[in-house]
Amino acid sequence: QYQYDARVKEQSNTYSKMEPANAADILSQMTAGDLELVAGILSGMSPSKSSLILAAMEPETAAQITKKMTYNK
């Protein structure tokens, strides 16, 4: 579990350094296969970073991720 968490945190750092629109495009593609991973990546970011990425996504995708982030806490 620790190694998984560390890898997710590492991905959070990577995606938070990208342009929000680019990160949103990639994470949106990942959502179809692994919503939980995408929620974990975004949860590992500061709210100011994750909000920009979520805002750049399609509303339906952002809503699905937000629900997962909220209920997994």
Side-chain angles (χ1 to χ4, degrees):
Q1 180 67 31
Y2 174 76
Q3 288 180 336
Y4 175 81
D5 291 343
R7 289 192 303 263
V8 171
K9 183 61 180 166
E10 184 178 318
Q11 293 303 316
S12 294
N13 290 334
T14 299
Y15 282 97
S16 70
K17 293 174 184 173
M18 298 173 87
E19 288 294 322
N22 293 338
D25 287 344
I26 296 167
L27 293 172
S28 292
Q29 291 295 317
M30 290 172 57
T31 298
D34 201 342
L35 182 61
E36 191 165 327
L37 176 59
V38 174
I41 290 170
L42 288 169
S43 292
M45 296 179 189
S46 68
S48 61
K49 295 281 187 183
S50 62
S51 64
L52 292 173
I53 294 171
L54 286 166
M57 292 179 170
E58 291 293 323
E60 183 178 326
T61 302
Q64 289 175 338
I65 295 167
T66 301
K67 285 181 192 177
K68 189 61 135 173
M69 289 168 65
T70 302
Y71 296 133
N72 277 355
K73 287 198 172 193

